[in-house]
Amino acid sequence: MKTETISQKNGHQLNGFTTEDIGDDHLFTSLETPMKPNAFEMSNDEKKQRISILFSEIMDVLGLDLTDDSLKGTPDRVAKMYIEEIFSGLDPENKPKVALFDNKYQYNQMLVEKDITFYSNCEHHFVPIIGKAHVAYKSSGKVIGLSKLNRIVQYYAKRPQVQERLTQQIGNELKNILETEDVAVIIDAKHLCVSSRGVKDDTSATVTTYYGGVFNSPEKIAELQNYINN
Ligand SMILES: Nc1nc2c(ncn2[C@@H]2O[C@H](COP(=O)(O)OP(=O)(O)OP(=O)(O)O)[C@@H](O)[C@H]2O)c(=O)[nH]1
Ligand SMILES: [Zn+2]
């Protein structure tokens, strides 16, 4: 993979924080979602209460009547949705547990899990990113259950994201779990911040790729594209 990452060992000093402060899942690398060091001091219930109060304020500033039957539950709904659903991938506790199996079939070609639909949110505008992820790997001796490929995509999608980082986080996670560089990720997504507002281009889409190990060759890329397009 041709991206620069600054991998750090536990306890190293990073920008004034130690990795012990911020936890293993939030090392300060170029791949990591920027999180504050005390991101998990508050319980999820406390976070929901705070978000609900703050979202009420936004609605109030917008001039909405919070005593209206239809609106009064919205702050609580938004808070629950942020913590339990659309931003649940910020919490390492929600990372999918992935069991590795021996490659007893001796299958040594690429495996492609294509058209994984995901919903994420743009970290610049907090509006949806809707797309498909295609992931592929070549076993180094271990295999994982197919659904875990989908679950890893969903975990990283459920964060405020930019598409480049989402692509690399998925690629890096698969690489670590499968103990191989032979991993590819292609993401084709529509950003509502581009289509529904701002430049309002409803036809464009964004494609990002991660080609590691054997996938980093024109032949393998063409083969992969062929599987994805058919
Ligand atoms: N690289 C990258 N940019 C993104 C992604 N999602 C949204 N953006 C862009 O982030 C940029 C934010 O730029 P700003 O100029 O600060 O925001 P803005 O004034 O709302 O920009 P407009 O969308 O052009 O109206 C925009 O150009 C977005 O299109 C993404 O996944 N990757
Ligand atoms: Zn955006």
Side-chain angles (χ1 to χ4, degrees):
M1 177 60 199
K2 289 178 190 157
T3 42
E4 293 216 343
T5 63
I6 320 154
S7 73
Q8 301 281 349
K9 291 203 170 71
N10 258 356
H12 275 198
Q13 198 72 27
L14 298 158
N15 297 352
F17 303 123
T18 68
T19 53
E20 278 152 4
D21 291 328
I22 58 182
D24 277 353
D25 205 49
H26 293 286
L27 300 180
F28 275 19
T29 70
S30 57
L31 297 184
E32 297 301 324
T33 300
M35 299 288 283
K36 58 179 196 168
N38 59 349
F40 300 104
E41 269 174 14
M42 229 188 269
S43 71
N44 282 345
D45 280 345
E46 286 170 317
K47 285 181 184 179
K48 281 187 262 183
Q49 277 171 22
R50 288 281 296 143
I51 292 169
S52 178
I53 290 165
L54 295 168
F55 204 80
S56 300
E57 280 207 37
I58 291 175
M59 292 175 69
D60 184 62
V61 170
L62 288 172
L64 294 165
D65 178 3
L66 278 153
T67 65
D68 180 85
D69 257 5
S70 172
L71 295 180
K72 68 179 181 207
T74 299
D76 281 349
R77 275 186 216 105
V78 170
K80 185 166 182 262
M81 176 180 73
Y82 276 13
I83 297 299
E84 295 181 12
E85 297 176 309
I86 67 175
F87 300 134
S88 58
L90 288 173
D91 186 346
E93 289 281 316
N94 294 326
K95 196 171 187 170
K97 313 281 177 287
V98 176
L100 283 174
F101 304 103
D102 288 331
N103 182 9
K104 57 182 178 226
Y105 331 104
Q106 300 297 311
Y107 179 75
N108 63 0
Q109 300 300 315
M110 71 166 82
L111 181 149
V112 186
E113 184 78 356
K114 68 176 191 173
D115 294 335
I116 302 170
T117 299
F118 71 84
Y119 293 86
S120 185
N121 280 276
C122 149
E123 71 180 15
H124 299 135
H125 300 91
F126 274 46
V127 294
I129 304 171
I130 305 170
K132 286 197 190 305
H134 316 284
V135 302
Y137 75 97
K138 188 169 175 293
S139 173
S140 67
K142 298 287 178 191
V143 295
I144 57 175
L146 295 179
S147 64
K148 306 303 181 199
L149 298 169
N150 302 56
R151 285 186 190 282
I152 289 164
V153 169
Q154 303 306 344
Y155 171 69
Y156 287 105
K158 292 199 181 316
R159 295 177 175 193
Q161 276 292 10
V162 288
Q163 191 172 323
E164 295 93 323
R165 189 202 296 130
L166 174 62
T167 310
Q168 293 185 80
Q169 286 179 335
I170 296 166
N172 199 48
E173 183 67 19
L174 290 172
K175 200 177 85 166
N176 290 340
I177 291 174
L178 292 159
E179 296 170 14
T180 177
E181 294 289 324
D182 300 340
V183 162
V185 182
I186 300 171
I187 294 185
D188 185 343
K190 275 186 85 72
H191 292 239
L192 263 60
C193 66
V194 173
S195 60
S196 75
R197 56 154 300 285
V199 74
K200 290 192 182 150
D201 184 333
D202 195 35
T203 51
S204 64
T206 306
V207 179
T208 43
T209 60
Y210 175 110
Y211 295 126
V214 294
F215 289 101
N216 209 353
S217 81
E219 296 77 26
K220 276 287 174 211
I221 291 171
E223 190 183 342
L224 191 52
Q225 292 288 355
N226 190 37
Y227 293 134
I228 289 166
N229 294 331
N230 287 309

